Amino acid sequence: MSDKISRREFVVTTTAGVAAAAGPAFGQESAGEDSKTATHGTMKQSSAKPVVVASANGHKFKNGGTVTAVEKAFAMMTSGADVLESLIAGVNIVELDPEETSVGYGGLPNADGVVQLDSCCMHGPLRRAGGVAAIEGVRTPSLVAYKVMQETDYHLMAGKGAQEFARAFGFRIEDDLNTERSRKTWLEWKRRSDPASFLDPIKREAALRQLELDMIAEGWIDPNHFYGTINCNGVNARGDVCGVTTTSGRAWKLSGRVGDSPILGAGLFVDNEVGAAGSTGRGEANLYNLTSYLIVEHMRRGLSPKDAGIEALKRVKANTIEKRLRRSNGDPNFDIKFYIMNNRGEHAGVTMYGGDDAVYAVCDEKGARLVPMEPFLTGRATD
């Protein structure tokens, strides 16, 4: 038996204890035996390096526990759990953590002060997906997206209908998902934005953008949390790939705005024969290019995860033509990041701009860590 296989068996044994310490994956929302049987029945037999990759918040927040999202997902996955169930159990940690203001409970609200959440999940072996958009009152939209995938013939449910669907399946519906912190930040934004209400649209947009930058500079908003989101993708030893993305969306968005996160091919795309890609950052730029789908197609043609991501960032840059979205030198004035893996377990993180915070989370047989991303452009988005 090779050393590599021995190490893998060691990880399976030891990480099982981590998963147990982290608690059950779903509780009442767990998939039944019929679902697990169907999943395992479609898995292809191939060899891959098990790995979970995610945006940086996947290895930062613990919601008062002892493990992060990527640690929990990897422990469950390598102990035999379904890949998608493992990933969702991981991102639930982030969705439930009130300190993470870009995802789930305590996410920065819309312009009306209401937290509206989006999520999407894709199961590579089953070739199925589920999503929810602009759902209110449920702290874990990723679990509702998973139920949509399991229980319906739909992909996407939105708004009040998504909430009623969640209620029917036993999810707790809360009146308000704001925390004291998210509400206080929204009230400060509201106070500052009111004087700009009567400007013409172009001047108002510029004034609001400057307001956002000022609040980021003053520490009201983490620059990585303004657009928000966690993407988490995983592949097991059989080469089965799944992914999930969940977010509270852009801070102060108009009520009802839906970004890229719940849209197949934008915030997330999985092909079990190729790999997966997901995104954080400016959703509208991602939607215009369906960039996660584009990345997977580049990998299908033989590109590495890193090269596929850089090619996609080139497309985003080329299609950014509006003056309001460009720096003085013509480059995009926003950031966007992609988290990519192929079905062999090779992975990369790419970003429009670099910096100390341009990192992504990885968990494999070597453990969990943050890894530098590959930048496409120099400087900063706001230069």
Side-chain angles (χ1 to χ4, degrees):
M1 185 174 292
S2 69
D3 291 341
K4 183 176 182 181
I5 294 176
S6 298
R7 286 196 301 271
R8 181 174 297 155
E9 289 177 344
F10 174 77
V11 170
V12 169
T13 302
T14 56
T15 54
V18 178
F26 294 120
Q28 67 177 23
E29 288 88 13
S30 293
E33 290 302 317
D34 289 344
S35 171
K36 291 181 180 179
T37 300
T39 299
H40 295 159
T42 60
M43 285 183 175
K44 65 179 185 298
Q45 298 297 317
S46 65
S47 177
K49 177 184 176 182
V51 64
V52 173
V53 301
S55 44
N57 47 358
H59 190 48
K60 178 178 179 181
F61 296 94
K62 299 182 179 180
N63 192 33
T66 60
V67 297
T68 61
V70 293
E71 289 173 322
K72 180 163 188 175
F74 186 77
M76 288 180 60
M77 184 181 75
T78 53
S79 297
D82 176 74
V83 178
L84 184 54
E85 288 189 4
S86 303
L87 299 176
I88 292 175
V91 301
N92 286 166
I93 294 173
V94 183
E95 289 175 319
L96 293 170
D97 195 323
E99 294 302 311
E100 168 52 291
T101 58
S102 72
V103 177
Y105 174 57
L108 293 177
N110 64 19
D112 296 330
V114 178
V115 179
Q116 291 184 324
L117 305 174
D118 303 328
S119 184
C120 174
C121 63
M122 295 190 73
H123 198 291
L126 291 180
R127 274 73 169 177
R128 297 196 67 184
V132 291
I135 188 173
E136 299 176 12
V138 181
R139 297 189 182 197
T140 53
S142 64
L143 282 172
V144 186
Y146 185 64
K147 274 296 179 186
V148 172
M149 187 198 84
Q150 284 186 304
E151 305 291 344
T152 78
D153 191 39
Y154 314 144
H155 159 56
L156 184 62
M157 299 187 70
K160 188 68 173 176
Q163 186 186 72
E164 291 305 312
F165 173 86
R167 190 193 307 275
F169 280 93
F171 287 87
R172 178 187 176 194
I173 309 299
E174 301 181 55
D175 291 334
D176 186 5
L177 293 185
N178 275 295
T179 58
E180 181 179 351
R181 178 182 179 182
S182 65
R183 184 179 294 106
K184 183 177 180 181
T185 306
W186 171 73
L187 287 171
E188 178 65 15
W189 174 83
K190 194 74 172 171
R191 181 186 68 79
R192 298 190 189 196
S193 65
D194 276 345
S197 296
F198 301 102
L199 295 175
D200 68 68
I202 294 177
K203 290 182 178 179
R204 175 176 168 77
E205 180 69 22
L208 288 176
R209 177 57 176 161
Q210 187 57 53
L211 187 160
E212 294 159 2
L213 293 174
D214 290 344
M215 291 186 70
I216 289 172
E218 293 173 22
W220 286 93
I221 310 169
D222 185 316
N224 292 312
H225 290 191
F226 181 76
Y227 289 106
T229 312
I230 179 173
N231 166 249
C232 190
N233 307 313
V235 60
N236 65 12
R238 299 186 183 185
D240 289 307
V241 188
C242 296
V244 59
T245 299
T246 181
T247 187
S248 57
R250 179 174 176 169
W252 335 129
K253 60 191 176 185
L254 293 178
S255 179
R257 178 263 188 183
V258 174
D260 62 315
S261 292
I263 306 301
L264 296 182
L268 176 69
F269 195 72
V270 174
D271 188 316
N272 211 51
E273 303 303 317
V274 182
S279 178
T280 62
R282 180 175 166 78
E284 281 69 21
N286 196 14
L287 282 165
Y288 188 84
N289 296 281
L290 286 179
T291 326
S292 291
Y293 173 79
L294 180 65
I295 289 170
V296 172
E297 289 304 297
H298 280 316
M299 288 195 293
R300 191 190 306 279
R301 295 192 296 107
L303 271 65
S304 69
K306 185 187 80 170
D307 290 343
I310 293 297
E311 286 299 313
L313 288 172
K314 290 179 182 177
R315 179 75 63 87
V316 173
K317 178 180 181 296
N319 283 332
T320 302
I321 61 174
E322 293 185 68
K323 185 176 181 180
R324 67 185 180 88
L325 298 175
R326 297 169 66 180
R327 298 165 53 191
S328 58
N329 67 355
D331 290 340
N333 65 7
F334 55 84
D335 205 357
I336 187 167
K337 294 177 169 66
F338 294 96
Y339 314 93
I340 310 159
M341 65 165 48
N342 61 28
N343 65 354
R344 298 187 298 277
E346 298 166 338
H347 54 85
V350 300
T351 177
M352 188 69 76
Y353 294 97
D356 293 339
D357 60 349
V359 293
Y360 70 108
V362 176
C363 192
D364 56 19
E365 61 184 10
K366 298 177 183 177
R369 58 200 182 277
L370 294 175
V371 178
M373 305 186 80
E374 184 73 21
F376 173 50
L377 299 175
T378 59
R380 299 178 303 169
T382 55
D383 286 348

